[in-house]
Amino acid sequence: MNKYISKIAVVTAFVSFSFFTSCNSDDDNAQDTITINLTEVGSGNSGVVSAGNDLHLEAEIYASAKIATIEVELHHETDASTPEIHLVYTEYAGFLNADFHKHIDIPAHQPTGNYHLHFTVTDNQGNSSTVEHDLEIE
Amino acid sequence: MTGCSNDNDKDTTKPEIDMTISEAFPTSCANIQKGSTIYFKALFKDNQALGAYSIDIHNNFNHHNHDTETGNCDFDPEKTPINPWTEILTFSIPANTQEFVAVHSINIPDDIDSGDYHFMIQLTDAQGWATMKGISIKIID
């Protein structure tokens, strides 16, 4: 009988322990959210920038697990041999939200044409989210 | 059982940048002379604790609009930068501070392009919430 009681006690204790410790954990990746709202791509949100000039880029960002890095990548839409522009910003690390505002220099020798802009936010849990936008370099 | 959750006291309030205190500067549309000094002054507030702040000064020669202030400044004609001024300064705020008056003297080089500039203030609280304020200024000869 004592054996049964101790077994029940152990099981009860285990179940109780599980119950008491099963509350929400912030480590659960499924609950982390990243939102990106690109508010300006090119001056006046024109989607156009001249080679040799700077690209105005502005975005509102929220990352519930806090921002780690923000990456901006520009690649030619059709010609893979065109040099890509790839920038990584770490200055927003630890922020929950950010008003991203940058002027990205487009080299004067950058071939003109239609490009894709990829804007990626990675959070402290390793989750990332990307938004895309068309950009013409003229 | 309730000790594991701290959702109830989670901070959801962004810090505040208050440019209405006495001698707050720069004011929107301020004209400041090349080679002189910007006497930056702002009041920062947070409901719990402030974190850090940065100042980012860059040209606005082609009139992009990131001025969070109301009202339009009188802009110079658009132009291409030759030797524009760029300055990024970062500062920390003592721990557990809810109100902080930031004061800095920022020297303006005298060999930079004059014209329209943006003076961006970015403030974070200890939790990681950020607030940005953009002020249009003009650097004059």
Side-chain angles (χ1 to χ4, degrees):
Chain A
M1 187 64 181
N2 280 347
K3 256 187 191 172
Y4 283 118
I5 289 171
S6 64
K7 264 187 187 170
I8 288 165
V10 166
V11 168
T12 307
F14 184 72
V15 167
S16 307
F17 183 74
S18 307
F19 184 70
F20 275 91
T21 56
S22 67
C23 45
N24 267 344
S25 158
D26 285 342
D27 295 332
D28 187 348
N29 287 358
Q31 292 181 356
D32 298 332
T33 55
I34 298 173
T35 56
I36 303 167
N37 180 18
L38 274 181
T39 50
E40 188 183 16
V41 178
S43 202
N45 205 21
S46 58
V48 180
V49 63
S50 305
N53 227 318
D54 59 6
L55 170 68
H56 298 158
L57 192 59
E58 190 158 283
E60 297 164 354
I61 301 156
Y62 170 74
S64 62
K66 295 186 177 174
I67 298 166
T69 58
I70 298 174
E71 288 179 64
V72 176
E73 187 200 300
L74 283 170
H75 63 254
H76 198 277
E77 204 168 286
T78 51
D79 183 0
S81 67
T82 306
E84 291 185 357
I85 295 173
H86 186 210
L87 297 155
V88 181
Y89 300 93
T90 56
E91 67 207 65
Y92 301 95
F95 288 24
L96 283 162
N97 71 303
D99 292 314
F100 180 93
H101 167 100
K102 290 289 169 193
H103 298 217
I104 296 169
D105 286 325
I106 307 295
H109 54 76
Q110 186 73 25
T112 58
N114 293 322
Y115 284 74
H116 276 156
L117 181 146
H118 291 224
F119 190 97
T120 302
V121 175
T122 303
D123 71 16
N124 278 344
Q125 296 294 330
N127 307 298
S128 67
S129 178
T130 301
V131 292
E132 294 184 31
H133 199 283
D134 290 337
L135 176 75
E136 183 189 346
I137 297 181
E138 59 174 22
Chain B
M1 212 167 96
T2 55
C4 59
S5 171
N6 60 1
D7 280 353
N8 292 338
D9 55 10
K10 211 172 208 174
D11 180 17
T12 55
T13 307
K14 293 177 186 175
E16 265 180 75
I17 300 170
D18 183 347
M19 299 299 288
T20 64
I21 57 167
S22 171
E23 295 178 330
F25 198 79
T27 48
S28 198
C29 310
N31 286 336
I32 312 160
Q33 202 160 16
K34 238 190 237 189
S36 72
T37 303
I38 295 174
Y39 294 103
F40 170 70
K41 185 176 178 186
L43 171 63
F44 299 148
K45 289 188 274 192
D46 190 62
N47 62 321
Q48 292 190 354
L50 293 161
Y53 63 102
S54 66
I55 295 168
D56 176 339
I57 303 163
H58 58 253
N59 81 78
N60 182 27
F61 297 165
N62 44 12
H63 306 164
H64 61 286
N65 43 5
H66 306 301
D67 190 344
T68 56
E69 302 287 284
T70 52
N72 290 324
C73 304
D74 186 16
F75 289 127
D76 290 347
E78 292 190 21
K79 64 176 181 180
T80 304
I82 298 163
N83 184 29
W85 185 28
T86 304
E87 187 86 62
I88 296 174
L89 306 162
T90 57
F91 305 97
S92 58
I93 297 171
N96 301 315
T97 305
Q98 282 184 307
E99 281 203 12
F100 184 77
V101 177
V103 179
H104 294 285
S105 299
I106 303 167
N107 294 323
I108 307 172
D110 52 13
D111 59 348
I112 55 152
D113 296 346
S114 55
D116 298 304
Y117 281 83
H118 273 154
F119 190 102
M120 317 283 293
I121 307 163
Q122 183 158 255
L123 173 67
T124 52
D125 68 12
Q127 190 73 29
W129 290 108
T131 297
M132 166 100 96
K133 195 172 201 65
I135 300 167
S136 291
I137 60 172
K138 196 189 291 288
I139 306 294
I140 55 172
D141 287 313

